[in-house]
Amino acid sequence: MTLEVALQHSFGPFALDCAFVAPPGVTALFGPSGAGKSSVLLAVAGLLRPRHGRIAVDEITLLDTAHRIDLRPERRRCGVVFQDARLFPHLSVETNLRYGARRAPPGPAADFGSIVELLGIGALLARRPRTLSGGERQRVALGRALLARPRLLLMDEPLAALDAPRRNEIIPYLERIRDEARIPILYVSHALDEVDRLADTLVLMDQGRVVATGPVEALSSRTDLPQLAGRRDAGSVLRCTVLRHDAARGLSELAFAGGKLLLPLRPEPPGAALRLRLRARDVAVAIAAPAGISSHNAIACTVRAIAPAGAHEVFVALEAGPTTILARITRDAVSTLGLVPGRTAYALVKSTAFDHG
């Protein structure tokens, strides 16, 4: 299913004017606070009626102000998960989940047991929401939304209220939902690590407008987007596959389109797919194959472009096959090495440069 969104609305001096197409998978609305991300999500859910707009899922029109179509929220079949789980405090976990099932449209019911297993909440069914951790409450909220058999799943910064351990606890469950639920997911966030791990498509927003949209990997390596390139963690997102583990050396070997990487031992089994952010500030550049250095990774590349990254620094876009790797180095280093587009170079990457998700 494909979600099409085109909206125009105003809140006093703030104007929302955006349009994008969200293909199957997870589409992340990313940008600073106040960019209009949550307003878009509320409009899709039917909880905000824009002045002008059209929202459609494949052949089903949810909103078309020009033709006076505006389906009620319950008819849009959007499962919404907010920052706070919004569970009924006087009901057990199981009763909260059953409430979601009762809101499902006519037809075959969602498999209660499968969703409980998917989210790992079987041991929580008899408990009340007040006895749950923040991560557990969000997993129950996700289960309630899925049991309603939604056409779309809308998540409004569902991890923002959680501390780092609880966020790391719940992200694998979100990955499972992405891979198994097979419905479009609109995910609002201003946390780039969540986007890297979960999203297929990125819609970059600022001041109510869409700045850019496309695959996460493609947008991450663009130097003309200050919302991304201006960040301390600016860099490239690499889609990798685990090849093998060497427990004796404490290393894992991963492959990406254009090369291989050695990293500290990873928990994922061989064959597992994952995405890693390679920060531009963690990439050094050499013009000859290095020897006698501690970095495990020297990736043969071609210099594609050089772009400003501050008063005394630049981004060097390096091509490793079809993959772009960004390096952030000084202007002096560019001059000293004689780096120009088309020149062969090596991207040097410490194996410890990657954070474990």
Side-chain angles (χ1 to χ4, degrees), residues 37 53 81 84 86 92 98 116 123 128 162 231 240 278 282 303 339-340:
K37 308 182 297 297
V81 180
D84 53 334
R86 304 193 183 187
S92 68
R98 299 287 183 190
V116 167
R128 296 291 177 91
L162 305 180
R231 296 172 59 100
C240 302
L278 175 52
D282 291 331
V303 176
L339 296 179
V340 293

Side-chain angles (χ1 to χ4, degrees), residues 253-339:
E253 184 178 19
L254 280 63
F256 66 94
K260 296 180 180 179
L261 291 166
L262 285 176
L263 278 65
L265 205 60
R266 299 280 310 190
E268 298 88 355
L274 66 155
R275 281 183 291 189
L276 300 174
R277 172 165 291 271
L278 175 52
R279 293 178 292 252
R281 59 187 170 91
D282 291 331
V283 180
V285 180
I287 56 174
I293 60 173
S294 63
S295 295
H296 281 95
N297 304 294
I299 305 165
C301 303
T302 301
V303 176
R304 188 189 73 195
I306 300 172
H312 306 292
E313 299 177 348
V314 297
F315 284 117
V316 180
L318 301 164
E319 289 184 336
T323 298
T324 297
I325 295 175
L326 287 184
R328 184 168 188 156
I329 62 176
T330 64
R331 293 179 182 273
D332 179 71
V334 170
S335 177
T336 300
L337 296 175
L339 296 179

Side-chain angles (χ1 to χ4, degrees), residues 26-357:
V26 176
T27 296
L29 301 181
F30 178 81
S33 297
K37 308 182 297 297
S38 294
S39 297
V40 171
L41 185 141
L42 292 174
V44 173
L47 303 176
L48 166 69
R49 191 180 193 280
R51 184 170 301 169
H52 303 287
R54 182 176 186 275
I55 302 169
V57 183
D58 286 346
E59 73 283 359
I60 302 169
T61 301
L62 307 184
L63 172 77
D64 190 335
T65 55
H67 293 87
R68 298 184 178 180
I69 298 173
D70 185 11
L71 296 188
R72 297 190 303 273
E74 60 271 21
R75 292 189 58 204
R76 297 192 184 197
R77 290 181 53 197
C78 296
V80 186
V81 180
F82 294 98
Q83 285 186 32
D84 53 334
R86 304 193 183 187
L87 302 176
F88 297 114
H90 61 292
L91 301 179
S92 68
V93 166
E94 180 171 1
T95 310
N96 269 281
L97 293 171
R98 299 287 183 190
Y99 174 82
R102 288 199 299 272
R103 296 180 62 243
D111 189 320
F112 184 89
S114 295
I115 290 176
V116 167
E117 182 180 358
L118 173 70
L119 294 168
I121 53 179
L124 309 178
L125 294 179
R127 292 168 58 181
R128 296 291 177 91
R130 67 176 181 274
T131 70
L132 305 179
S133 71
E136 290 169 339
R137 285 194 294 270
Q138 287 298 74
R139 283 153 55 194
V140 173
L142 284 165
R144 184 175 63 181
L146 291 172
L147 283 164
R149 289 177 46 227
R151 183 180 287 123
L152 298 169
L153 189 58
L154 310 177
M155 300 190 190
D156 190 5
E157 302 201 57
L159 309 185
L162 305 180
D163 57 21
R166 300 292 80 73
R167 290 174 69 245
N168 291 334
E169 165 199 316
I170 200 171
I171 282 180
Y173 294 102
L174 295 179
E175 291 174 322
R176 290 183 195 175
I177 291 172
R178 175 197 63 198
D179 298 338
E180 298 183 26
R182 303 184 185 280
I183 58 175
I185 299 174
L186 202 59
Y187 190 94
V188 170
S189 180
H190 62 266
L192 204 53
D193 59 334
E194 296 174 22
V195 174
D196 289 347
R197 286 191 61 176
L198 297 171
D200 303 293
T201 302
L202 176 61
V203 177
L204 184 62
M205 294 190 65
D206 193 22
Q207 298 182 15
R209 297 178 180 272
V210 173
V211 177
T213 182
V216 173
E217 295 90 342
L219 265 60
S220 69
S221 57
R222 284 179 53 177
T223 59
D224 62 331
L225 300 173
Q227 295 87 349
L228 298 177
R231 296 172 59 100
R232 183 65 176 161
D233 53 359
S236 307
V237 173
L238 307 182
R239 189 181 293 267
C240 302
T241 302
V242 178
L243 294 180
R244 63 185 182 90
H245 301 298
D246 187 336
R249 297 176 65 196
L251 296 173
S252 296
E253 184 178 19
L254 280 63
F256 66 94
K260 296 180 180 179
L261 291 166
L262 285 176
L263 278 65
L265 205 60
R266 299 280 310 190
E268 298 88 355
L274 66 155
R275 281 183 291 189
L276 300 174
R277 172 165 291 271
L278 175 52
R279 293 178 292 252
R281 59 187 170 91
D282 291 331
V283 180
V285 180
I287 56 174
I293 60 173
S294 63
S295 295
H296 281 95
N297 304 294
I299 305 165
C301 303
T302 301
V303 176
R304 188 189 73 195
I306 300 172
H312 306 292
E313 299 177 348
V314 297
F315 284 117
V316 180
L318 301 164
E319 289 184 336
T323 298
T324 297
I325 295 175
L326 287 184
R328 184 168 188 156
I329 62 176
T330 64
R331 293 179 182 273
D332 179 71
V334 170
S335 177
T336 300
L337 296 175
L339 296 179
V340 293
R343 176 156 192 176
T344 298
Y346 292 83
L348 308 183
V349 182
K350 294 194 300 181
S351 57
T352 56
F354 298 91
D355 298 326
H356 278 219

